[in-house]
Amino acid sequence: MLVLRDTEIKVRGIFAHQDFAKGELIETAPVIVIPKQQVKLIIKTVLLNYYFGWHGESGVIALSFPSLFNYF
């Protein structure tokens, strides 16, 4: 459904390999939850580029394409 490939504009991009219907689920992924007490530590690491805010002040790292969506 999705492909990761090099682009001329940025280093890489994620592209749809097919058309999707409005509201169609594109991706699900397991996540590693980062407790809110540890988010302040992750922002000092390279993982800052790959995490999402989650339920208030905590965060998550997705273990599939979603963390790349956030980065590219």
Side-chain angles (χ1 to χ4, degrees):
M1 292 176 37
L2 301 172
V3 293
L4 177 68
R5 66 175 188 235
D6 293 337
T7 70
E8 293 180 16
I9 299 171
K10 291 196 172 195
V11 177
R12 287 187 205 104
I14 297 172
F15 299 88
H17 195 61
Q18 67 184 57
D19 292 333
F20 296 101
K22 183 177 180 178
E24 183 176 353
L25 180 64
I26 296 173
E27 176 82 353
T28 60
V31 297
I32 299 170
V33 177
I34 305 162
K36 66 180 181 179
Q37 306 91 313
Q38 295 178 23
V39 169
K40 63 183 174 205
L41 301 172
I42 202 167
I43 64 173
K44 298 176 182 180
T45 74
V46 69
L47 293 176
L48 169 65
N49 296 321
Y50 301 96
Y51 96 102
F52 291 94
W54 185 263
H55 299 291
E57 298 178 20
S58 54
V60 295
I61 299 286
L63 300 177
S64 185
F65 276 131
S67 282
L68 298 177
F69 298 157
N70 196 37
Y71 183 67
F72 294 115

